[in-house]
Amino acid sequence: MLVLRLLNVVAPAYFLCISLVTFVLQIFLFIPSMFRDPSTTPLFSPALLHGALFLFLSANALGNYVLVIQSSPEDLGKDLNLGKGAEVADWLDGSRSPGSALPSTHFCRLCARVTQRHDHHCFFTGNCIGNRNMRNFIMFCLYTSLACLDSLVAGMAYISATLSMSFADPLAFLTLLPHSISQFFSGALLSSEMFVILMLYLWLGIGLACAGFCCHQMLLILRGQTRYQVRKGMVVRARPWRENLQEVFGKRWLLGLLIPVLNVESDYHRQKEK
């Protein structure tokens, strides 16, 4: 438990550090290097177009990241009737399932709260992912993967121009790291260039991981399931996939694709209002 709590603090700091490094490299290294092409007009130069795209992706990724943290799943422990003599700790092993409990209600040890439609605990946000912040979490993964892909392409273009090398051969990227390490220790490669090369592989790994996680989460949403339900082997009621999507993304789904907006209200709130 101590290791998990430490990871819950270190992982968000690691993500924010990587985001800051990526922003600095893009703004002060990659984008200025694109202005060196005198053949393009200033209005439609690759630097301005790429800069606008990167800022759009970064703003959506960071905005949804903040909304995931702010839209914490509500603590239902105070509202649910856990039964006579029952404590919140009784939910740790999932042994209690009172009639007043909502589907896939779960107690998270790290957050110390009982949440509705618990999916999983995200260490990079330090928060549980549930009914209230699922859409923002998916948008966060989507735009993070796109921002990493954008940074990867810009970084490869910078390395290609700086080191006068071509990435036309697919094996060129695979052999770039070991070849660069040997050049770095021989003094033929600057430390800044070596740092950019290391970041290329980091962006590739983070981008693929976020894209894969986003696709897997979308598949579960189409089925009307959560990761917690799959892990516990819970049977869910079959519903049309359109209803499952609307439950997570709401009627403002198109707006949520373009700008960070709050998620739809949970079913629990709607039931309370009724």
Side-chain angles (χ1 to χ4, degrees), residues 51 65 68 73 120 124-125 149 158 169 201 205 246 258 274:
Y65 180 82
V68 169
H120 69 284
F124 285 99
T125 59
L149 176 62
Y158 173 80
D169 186 4
Y201 290 91
Q246 186 174 0
L258 301 177
K274 292 180 181 180

Side-chain angles (χ1 to χ4, degrees), residues 188-210:
L189 194 65
L190 299 177
S191 58
S192 59
E193 297 169 348
M194 186 64 199
F195 180 76
V196 172
I197 292 175
L198 293 176
M199 289 298 299
L200 294 181
Y201 290 91
L202 186 60
W203 288 325
L204 177 63
I206 296 177
L208 291 179
C210 289

Side-chain angles (χ1 to χ4, degrees), residues 27 29 45 55 78-79 101 128 163 186 194 198 246:
I27 299 300
L29 191 63
S45 63
L55 291 178
K78 300 179 180 179
D79 299 317
C128 274
L163 302 182
S186 63
M194 186 64 199
L198 293 176
Q246 186 174 0

Side-chain angles (χ1 to χ4, degrees), residues 87-240:
E87 301 292 341
V88 174
D90 296 330
W91 291 69
L92 294 178
D93 56 356
S95 58
R96 288 191 177 272
S97 180
S100 59
L102 296 170
S104 68
T105 305
H106 174 67
F107 176 78
C108 177
R109 294 174 180 265
L110 297 176
C111 294
R113 64 164 67 100
V114 180
T115 60
Q116 177 196 4
R117 287 191 63 83
H118 175 87
D119 188 85
H120 69 284
H121 182 89
C122 177
F123 289 98
F124 285 99
T125 59
N127 199 6
C128 274
I129 306 301
N131 193 53
R132 295 182 61 185
N133 55 6
M134 175 60 72
R135 180 179 68 176
N136 297 122
F137 176 74
I138 294 178
M139 291 295 101
F140 161 68
C141 292
L142 175 62
Y143 280 105
T144 299
S145 63
L146 294 178
C148 288
L149 176 62
D150 178 83
S151 301
L152 176 64
V153 173
M156 292 176 62
Y158 173 80
I159 292 297
S160 177
T162 304
L163 302 182
S164 300
M165 62 178 302
S166 175
F167 288 98
D169 186 4
L171 295 178
F173 185 79
L174 298 178
T175 59
L176 176 62
L177 183 59
H179 183 65
S180 301
I181 293 177
S182 61
Q183 285 187 330
F184 175 74
F185 285 105
S186 63
L189 194 65
L190 299 177
S191 58
S192 59
E193 297 169 348
M194 186 64 199
F195 180 76
V196 172
I197 292 175
L198 293 176
M199 289 298 299
L200 294 181
Y201 290 91
L202 186 60
W203 288 325
L204 177 63
I206 296 177
L208 291 179
C210 289
F213 198 91
C214 182
C215 293
H216 178 256
Q217 204 70 44
M218 284 298 301
L219 181 60
L220 292 178
I221 291 175
L222 291 174
R223 295 176 178 176
Q225 295 178 310
T226 63
R227 293 182 61 188
Y228 176 75
Q229 291 174 335
V230 173
R231 188 170 66 253
K232 294 295 183 179
M234 298 180 179
V235 179
V236 297
R237 180 172 59 90
R239 296 188 308 175

